[in-house]
Amino acid sequence: MNEPAPQRIDFLCHEIERHNYQYYVLDDPLISDAEYDSMFRELQSLERQYPSLVAPDSPTLRIGAPPLQAFAKIRHRTPMLSLNNAFSEAEVLAFDDRIRELLNIPVVEYAVEPKFDGLAVTLVYRDGLFVQGATRGDGETGEDVTQNLRTVRNIPLRLNQEQTTCPIPLIEIRGEVMMFKEDFFELNRRQTERGEKTFANPRNAAAGSLRQLDPQATSRRHLSFYAYGTGVVEGYILPDTHSGQMESLKELSIPVPLQRRVVHGTEGLLAFFREIGELRKDLPYEIDGVVYKVNNIAQQARLGYVARAPRFAIAHKFPAEEALTTVLDIEVQVGRTGALTPVARLVPVFVGGVTVTNATLHNEEEMRRKDIRIGDTVSVRRAGDVIPEVVRVLIERRPLDTMEFQMPKVCPVCGSHVTKEADEAVWRCSGGLFCPAQRKRALLHFASQRALNVDGLGEKLVDQLVDRNLVHTPADLYQLDLQTLTRLERMAEKSAQNLLDAIEHSKQTSLARFIYALGIRNVGEATAKELARYFVTLNKLLAADKASLQLVPDIGPVVAQSIAAFFFEPHNIKVINQLRAAGVQWPEEVNHGVPVDSLNGKIFVLTGTLVSMSREEAKSKIEALGARVSGSVSKKTSYVVAGAEAGSKLGKAVELDVTVLNEAEFLALLTRK
């Protein structure tokens, strides 16, 4: 080697990454493994000799990071949403009908691609360099797995920007990390040889591998990545179609699905679905369906989002896989709302990509209709993340000694009587919060991240608190002290204090979160927000009758009945009063002569930092007035609120002539008379 070390190191980095792309992405190696290994060893030797010349995107860093203590949390710049599912052609036709109606066009152009069965992640590149990666998490916040993602060989550490005029300031790429079938079987073989736990399916193996605290362990698991879209992009203009954007990512050396195309109308959608279905068993990785997306980005923006999913896309899942097994026993689980659900305990069977040992029988009527008995041979079905269920009984294989199962007359957990409404198929325990099964689930729901977010209050700790009779209702959490907690198993003083701090922090919440945390039947996160937005104060909600509740958007008679019944119960009101007395509170929205819906339907975009409140607080105030917050600026945006260090959204607002509010103007709008 006659050239200077810096130039040689740069050359080797570039060449190794080029050959990584050829091998891992294109599956078309240009050199032998021996030649590749020789270059890699030379680069390692030079970097040891000249440590100051190790580039942040060096290929050797894919396996060189030390083990991590834990994963930090990363808040996504824009939410990582999930997709609604379709399981039949009729649901696909209905999806297309809605799109055509909303867009008012006769035929829709769609981008279609496989739905990988992996772990969703986001990759952030600054000036062409990979700087951060995170899991999807709850959609708002994920785990920082940057070091582990560096070990995924087909993720470029530096983008190929030969086709761009200058480095891209910021681009966020969303996709799936997965494990190929061949690598999955090899991993389980090695795990078995070492006497270690095997994985049920490639998706679990990929998720577990990406969450290894030692990046070198992740590196040995042979993970792969494929992109399905982008998040925030700054200083770079992507094409105005999804298919065009995927081509742009490919030019940047980002792996994208090979089986993707543009089709028109439902005929094109269903033809692609059938084609991929036939290819499925021969693909090197697991897929559980295909994804349909409106191809035009502007049309996507017009369609927008509903709840936590885009209107412009849907996942068409493959028909559920079925397998035969035997019912060993039937037991009853008691849910958070007191519902008694019969569950079949099965001889383990591999179906739908996982090993299944239990299957729901839904309710007594369904169990009787299918005539499921202990000892029967049954067909079990599982599709995607759907809970396994018993589809049918093979009567011709029924042994003479099968036993019919009778639903219990009392709760198997607390002994309280079970009841069933005339118009319901479900038996319920009447024990309410007296029942430990309901109590535990109610506490876990109350403390969950989207409710009051009591960090550290997990299932094992709740078990101890309830089993030791220390906590009976959510209000009892606020009476816990350090001495009580440190007496629990695996609860040192520091952990106990952290939990107390989290409980104290949870006292500051929002009305929507509080309503959701109560665990009212049929009231999810979206409904809780609608209730908070409409009634503004808890007292008004408590005083509402069924007729008043049905004036709230998307609330019908069934949900209204559930809410009214919940607040009619004295013990529920008692718990609510205890929570308020313990200090649980939220900003009361005061409308100074302004109707609640004065901003109804308006769309806000927040950019920069506000001094007077957090972005979450600003979002809550906006939603309380009937408006909604979007993550991107479009012609439909009503206001852009620009705080300190406002980003590219401000420029976009000026370009589209959208009204821009500074913080003072925003506060005046919220409190105008």
Side-chain angles (χ1 to χ4, degrees):
M1 182 193 74
N2 298 321
E3 61 185 316
Q7 286 86 336
R8 183 61 180 173
I9 288 175
D10 185 65
F11 169 80
L12 289 170
C13 287
H14 182 272
E15 281 296 289
I16 289 171
E17 281 301 285
R18 183 169 73 90
H19 290 297
N20 279 341
Y21 181 72
Q22 287 290 141
Y23 184 90
Y24 292 107
V25 180
L26 301 181
D27 195 23
D28 183 24
L30 301 178
I31 60 175
S32 67
D33 290 349
E35 289 174 292
Y36 177 90
D37 291 340
S38 176
M39 283 196 297
F40 198 90
R41 285 194 299 271
E42 182 185 348
L43 178 59
Q44 287 180 312
S45 175
L46 283 170
E47 288 182 340
R48 283 194 295 269
Q49 192 175 353
Y50 305 100
S52 63
L53 297 180
V54 178
D57 61 329
S58 172
T60 62
L61 295 181
R62 290 188 185 276
I63 59 171
L68 305 172
Q69 296 301 312
F71 296 115
K73 301 298 183 185
I74 290 181
R75 188 168 183 83
H76 301 307
R77 291 166 174 82
T78 58
M80 293 186 69
L81 303 176
S82 55
L83 292 175
N84 288 325
N85 295 323
F87 293 96
S88 67
E89 290 191 4
E91 290 176 304
V92 174
L93 295 177
F95 165 72
D96 180 66
D97 284 343
R98 288 193 299 272
I99 299 298
R100 288 189 292 108
E101 182 180 350
L102 290 168
L103 295 178
N104 193 26
I105 57 176
V107 180
V108 182
E109 181 179 271
Y110 293 101
V112 294
E113 55 200 36
K115 183 181 183 298
F116 295 112
D117 193 14
L119 182 71
V121 299
T122 182
L123 313 177
V124 179
Y125 289 83
R126 288 189 181 277
D127 298 324
L129 289 178
F130 173 52
V131 295
Q132 190 178 76
T135 61
R136 178 182 180 275
D138 64 1
E140 299 283 345
T141 305
E143 296 171 313
D144 185 345
V145 288
T146 305
Q147 296 301 332
N148 288 354
L149 285 169
R150 285 182 178 275
T151 72
V152 179
R153 294 302 181 96
N154 71 338
I155 293 178
L157 300 180
R158 181 190 295 272
L159 297 176
N160 174 20
Q161 298 182 100
E162 293 178 359
Q163 305 300 319
T164 61
T165 55
C166 59
I168 303 172
L170 175 70
I171 184 168
E172 194 175 8
I173 296 163
R174 267 85 191 267
E176 298 266 338
V177 167
M178 70 195 74
M179 183 174 287
F180 279 29
K181 296 174 185 176
E182 183 180 354
D183 294 323
F184 167 70
F185 292 126
E186 176 61 21
L187 171 62
N188 269 353
R189 186 190 63 78
R190 294 198 307 268
Q191 295 289 99
T192 301
E193 284 181 353
R194 292 195 291 263
E196 298 177 359
K197 173 188 173 184
T198 58
F199 294 92
N201 54 59
R203 187 192 184 282
N204 285 358
S209 300
L210 194 62
R211 291 191 174 97
Q212 293 288 311
L213 293 179
D214 184 355
Q216 295 191 29
T218 302
S219 176
R220 291 190 291 269
R221 297 286 180 88
H222 295 173
L223 299 177
S224 298
F225 170 85
Y226 284 93
Y228 57 67
T230 60
V232 173
V233 180
E234 295 179 1
Y236 183 65
I237 299 176
L238 287 167
D240 58 5
T241 63
H242 175 75
S243 57
Q245 291 190 359
M246 297 298 280
E247 284 298 320
S248 290
L249 294 184
K250 182 180 178 183
E251 291 175 359
L252 295 171
S253 294
I254 296 294
V256 296
L258 178 63
Q259 296 85 12
R260 67 186 192 285
R261 69 182 61 151
V262 173
V263 301
H264 295 84
T266 52
E267 288 186 7
L269 296 180
L270 297 176
F272 181 77
F273 179 79
R274 289 189 287 269
E275 176 188 331
I276 294 297
E278 292 176 1
L279 290 174
R280 182 184 182 189
K281 65 179 182 300
D282 297 321
L283 292 174
Y285 38 70
E286 294 284 358
I287 61 173
D288 55 3
V290 297
V291 177
Y292 308 140
K293 298 178 183 177
V294 172
N295 195 31
N296 185 280
I297 301 300
Q299 290 177 347
Q300 289 185 6
R302 284 172 58 191
L303 292 165
Y305 302 83
V306 56
R308 300 181 64 80
R311 282 195 182 92
F312 56 80
I314 197 167
H316 189 180
K317 295 293 194 74
F318 289 126
E321 296 181 19
E322 296 185 12
L324 299 182
T325 186
T326 303
V327 178
L328 296 173
D329 198 0
I330 297 176
E331 300 175 358
V332 170
Q333 289 183 345
V334 183
R336 178 171 58 84
T337 61
L340 272 64
T341 302
V343 176
R345 305 300 182 194
L346 309 169
V347 173
V349 60
F350 194 76
V351 56
V354 300
T355 301
V356 171
T357 56
N358 305 316
T360 180
L361 303 180
H362 297 292
N363 54 58
E364 184 182 30
E365 289 182 14
E366 182 73 359
M367 184 171 59
R368 299 284 173 246
R369 185 183 69 80
K370 294 178 179 176
D371 190 19
I372 301 169
R373 305 180 186 181
I374 299 170
D376 271 335
T377 297
V378 295
S379 176
V380 180
R381 173 174 62 194
R382 182 186 184 276
D385 292 329
V386 177
I387 298 171
E389 65 174 347
V390 172
V391 182
R392 57 192 169 87
V393 175
L394 278 70
I395 299 294
E396 65 276 13
R397 297 193 186 184
R398 172 169 286 170
L400 295 176
D401 59 347
T402 57
M403 294 183 292
E404 290 190 46
F405 178 77
Q406 300 296 327
M407 290 293 289
K409 302 300 181 184
V410 297
C411 173
V413 175
C414 71
S416 299
H417 288 93
V418 297
T419 61
K420 185 171 73 168
E421 298 293 332
D423 59 344
E424 278 197 333
V426 177
W427 289 90
R428 296 185 186 278
C429 167
S430 62
L433 291 175
F434 168 74
C435 178
Q438 294 180 67
R439 196 181 304 158
K440 290 177 181 179
R441 285 162 175 78
L443 288 168
L444 287 169
H445 176 77
F446 181 85
S448 64
Q449 191 171 41
R450 294 175 187 170
L452 260 65
N453 192 21
V454 182
D455 188 31
L457 190 64
E459 190 170 347
K460 291 183 179 179
L461 183 54
V462 165
D463 284 344
Q464 290 192 72
L465 292 172
V466 172
D467 293 344
R468 298 192 184 195
N469 222 25
L470 296 173
V471 173
H472 300 88
T473 75
D476 293 336
L477 293 172
Y478 298 92
Q479 307 305 318
L480 294 171
D481 55 37
L482 191 64
Q483 185 177 10
T484 300
L485 289 175
T486 52
R487 291 173 180 167
L488 300 177
E489 294 177 14
R490 298 184 179 180
M491 183 61 70
E493 185 171 329
K494 183 177 180 181
S495 300
Q497 187 58 56
N498 287 341
L499 177 60
L500 291 174
D501 292 343
I503 293 172
E504 183 66 28
H505 186 264
S506 74
K507 292 180 180 179
Q508 306 301 320
T509 187
S510 67
L511 178 56
R513 281 177 171 266
F514 184 79
I515 295 169
Y516 177 62
L518 294 176
I520 306 169
R521 282 186 62 206
N522 300 314
V523 175
E525 193 177 4
T527 302
K529 286 183 178 179
E530 291 293 349
L531 289 168
R533 183 180 296 134
Y534 186 87
F535 289 103
V536 183
T537 69
L538 180 62
N539 288 339
K540 289 181 180 178
L541 173 59
L542 295 177
D545 57 16
K546 284 188 284 185
S548 300
L549 289 165
Q550 290 183 65
L551 296 176
V552 180
D554 299 326
I555 291 185
V558 174
V559 179
Q561 170 62 32
S562 296
I563 298 168
F566 182 89
F567 290 129
F568 180 77
E569 292 292 337
H571 65 261
N572 290 331
I573 300 300
K574 180 180 179 181
V575 172
I576 290 171
N577 291 335
Q578 289 173 338
L579 288 166
R580 299 302 302 271
V584 177
Q585 58 185 311
W586 50 86
E588 293 285 359
E589 301 293 342
V590 180
N591 298 313
H592 300 287
V594 183
V596 171
D597 63 351
S598 62
L599 293 176
N600 190 45
K602 300 292 185 182
I603 301 174
F604 283 72
V605 172
L606 303 172
T607 181
T609 304
L610 300 177
V611 176
S612 59
M613 67 187 77
S614 68
R615 184 166 292 196
E616 193 64 35
E617 290 171 328
K619 182 179 179 181
S620 297
K621 291 179 182 294
I622 290 168
E623 291 178 341
L625 293 175
R628 67 182 182 88
V629 176
S630 174
S632 59
V633 181
S634 70
K635 291 182 179 179
K636 286 194 172 184
T637 304
S638 308
Y639 301 100
V640 169
V641 180
E645 298 182 3
S648 60
K649 294 174 186 175
L650 177 58
K652 184 72 171 178
V654 173
E655 177 186 333
L656 296 178
D657 198 27
V658 174
T659 301
V660 177
L661 304 175
N662 60 30
E663 185 164 355
E665 291 168 332
F666 173 56
L667 294 173
L669 181 65
L670 294 178
T671 58
R672 66 185 179 183
K673 296 186 179 181

